[in-house]
Amino acid sequence: MTADFLLELRSEEIPARMQAGARADLEKLFVKELTAAGLTPGAITVWSTPRRLALIARDLPLGTQAVSEEVKGPRASAPPQALEGFLRKTGLTREQLTERDGVLFAITEKPGRATKDVLAQAIPAIVRAFPWPKSQRWGAASFSPESLRWVRPLSGIIAILGDEAIDLEVGGIRSGTVTRGHRFHHSGDITITGAADYAARLRDAYVIVDHAEREALVRDGARAAAQAAGLVLVDDEGLVVENAGLTEWPQPLLGRFDEAFLDVPPEVIQLTARVNQKYFICRDAAGKLANAFVCTANIAATDGGAAIVAGNRKVLAARLSDARFFWEQDKKVPLARQAEKLARITFHEKLGSVADKVARVADLAEWLAREGVVPGADPALARQAAQLCKADLVTDMVGEFPELQGLMGGYYARAEGLGDAVADAIRDHYKPVGQGDDVPTAPVSVCVALADKLDTLRSFFAIDEKPTGSKDPFALRRAALGIIRLITENHLRFAVAEGDLLGFFADRLKVQQREAGVRHDLIDAVLALGGESDLVRLLARVSALQAFVGTEDGVNLLAGYKRAANILKKEAAATAGAQGEGVVPPTGEEDPLVLVDDPLFKDVAAEFAHGEAALSYTPEPAEAALMAALAQAEPQVDEAVAQEAFTTAMAALASLRAPIDAFFDDVTVNDADAEKRAHRLALLDQFRAAVHKVADFSRIEG
């Protein structure tokens, strides 16, 4: 037989930000305790409100199964010492052991336990082990470090299996069947008879216990309130969850604030309403910020919410007045004067002040514009924007709302009359912050955004503050991804770095491109050629390569390449063995012939370098066909690569597919004739070198 189990842990207000984690922790701990006791529940539902956590476990068995445990001991004829040790271990006497085939066994029968008894032990263990991010002790017992800790004072516990209450006690709080309803709409106790009537009884007491249902009421109610006023709600799912976590009977209400506050930048109004008051904002049909907000009340007001809205409007007006004061005061100080204060802010103890960083960024931004790395950028404007890009860090508004750094600098620059190019560059110089963020495209903006991130990477790498493992305290991985997006999406022809930085960029590029469906081994194949730090050209080459290796010609050419590489590898190893170590340099590559242009390799390669005119024999048809195909394809590949026409280069390589297949089918490479053998190995080396003009195919999987 089975029954449903209900658990409610009631307390003072649980912070909204902790409720989702608490639901997950409650389910995890509950399952852990029951599993340890040999119980497996059916479906588990966990709910939360500001004043309670609730769990319902469906179809819980009413008892555990009896278990027989058998432990093998020594032989019956074993020395007394062995027997005594086994008896101490099991806690049994010799007469209680069972003998089978001359071996002693300890057999312990563990009877089944009633589930209510399991729960009576499990619930206190769950409560005491609960991992709240922050918790507290309360009352007289709080003087003891062993006293109960909970997020807020725990006031009640309900534990009912089927229709039977489970008797238990935690920290002086004894379980029962009584809970409380809405703080204002319902007084007195509510008696719960079990899981079946729990949600309904609370709803009658103005408590919607299902957090998802409350979220829907907040989301839909706020939209409806805005729509009724001819406005459009600005969606904010985080605010939906937070308001649902603050209320047990949510009632969205629309209010208005003084239109004069609309002179303040809209982002400031939104942050003021959202962060300080948990209000939604609205826009008019044209998309412009409206002088309206939606608050979420926790009561069904008899006056339709008029008094609640009036009170919230007063509080919001005070907050907006502060924001307008910051806005007006900040505008009185030119950004250039604000920037002077940056010398008092340390950027990093080894890298100087923020003013020092700004000076480096300004030099680099001007260079990017002057050298034409960012086409169309005015060097003077790039320098000016960079010199002012961090100035808003010392403004009152950014001090209140750090999230607005950069954005407010753009507003102040525009108010100061510095021009759109400079204002936009200041506003956007942190972008792109994340994968979904917009990438600046205006030339001056690109210069400053790129210079800021390049300086961050270059500076921290110079002082050996590189990311390690999962640690990246200076967000250098994010900076690298931002640089990659700025370069690739603006098609900038720019060598990003050398050395360690190039390897770092390569790793970030593989992460970014993997999300775009690009194979990491193809990026490796192009990077392995060396000297490729132009990301636009690199990705164009990779794109063409990915398209090619997905074709039948590409698959077959790759197979032919690997066959040729293996033959050359064996030959190089044999040559090294015959002539002593040092003939083939130990490059660390799987294939010793990867670095065909290495000067140390020339002596070995020269053994294969026989021209057609020097042949004393007539090449076989397939051999001659491969020679002709290579003679035609190689210059085509060279020209296409030089023109960055990588798709054309792949097409030229595809022409080698049939000749190399026929060569392997019809020609004996390791011929007994030394001249034939050397020439054919040279052909394979030539084929391999032709392929390497595009990518290192040894790095390609498959």
Side-chain angles (χ1 to χ4, degrees), residues 453-528:
K453 295 167 183 60
L454 284 170
D455 174 74
T456 295
L457 270 183
R458 183 175 62 183
S459 297
F460 281 109
F461 265 68
I463 62 172
D464 201 28
E465 289 284 359
K466 305 169 188 175
T468 56
S470 61
K471 296 181 179 179
D472 186 11
F474 304 110
L476 302 188
R477 293 187 179 103
R478 185 173 67 189
L481 287 173
I483 292 169
I484 289 169
R485 292 190 63 199
L486 282 163
I487 290 173
T488 56
E489 296 186 31
N490 286 288
H491 304 286
L492 304 182
R493 310 314 303 268
F494 176 49
V496 292
E498 296 294 341
D500 287 350
L501 264 178
L502 182 56
F504 183 66
F505 271 107
D507 289 340
R508 293 300 92 203
L509 183 67
K510 283 186 276 188
V511 170
Q512 184 216 36
Q513 291 297 306
R514 182 165 57 242
E515 295 176 358
V518 177
R519 288 169 45 179
H520 67 88
D521 59 319
L522 303 184
I523 297 176
D524 284 337
V526 172
L527 286 172

Side-chain angles (χ1 to χ4, degrees), residues 159-233:
I160 304 174
L161 180 62
D163 58 2
E164 182 179 2
I166 307 297
D167 185 33
L168 58 92
E169 181 268 334
V170 188
I173 301 167
R174 185 156 293 281
S175 63
T177 59
V178 173
T179 189
R180 307 282 292 185
H182 194 282
R183 189 182 295 277
F184 304 113
H185 280 312
H186 189 275
S187 60
D189 294 340
I190 303 168
T191 300
I192 303 297
T193 61
D197 73 340
Y198 176 68
R201 295 299 303 273
L202 280 173
R203 187 183 297 274
D204 291 341
Y206 290 86
V207 174
I208 298 172
V209 72
D210 184 348
H211 53 277
E213 183 181 350
R214 296 198 311 279
E215 289 170 8
L217 286 171
V218 172
R219 186 185 302 109
D220 298 341
R223 287 174 180 169
Q227 187 175 10
L231 302 172
V232 178
L233 189 79

Side-chain angles (χ1 to χ4, degrees), residues 386-399:
Q387 288 173 328
L388 302 176
C389 68
K390 308 290 184 184
D392 66 353
L393 293 176
V394 296
T395 62
D396 290 337
M397 187 70 81
V398 173

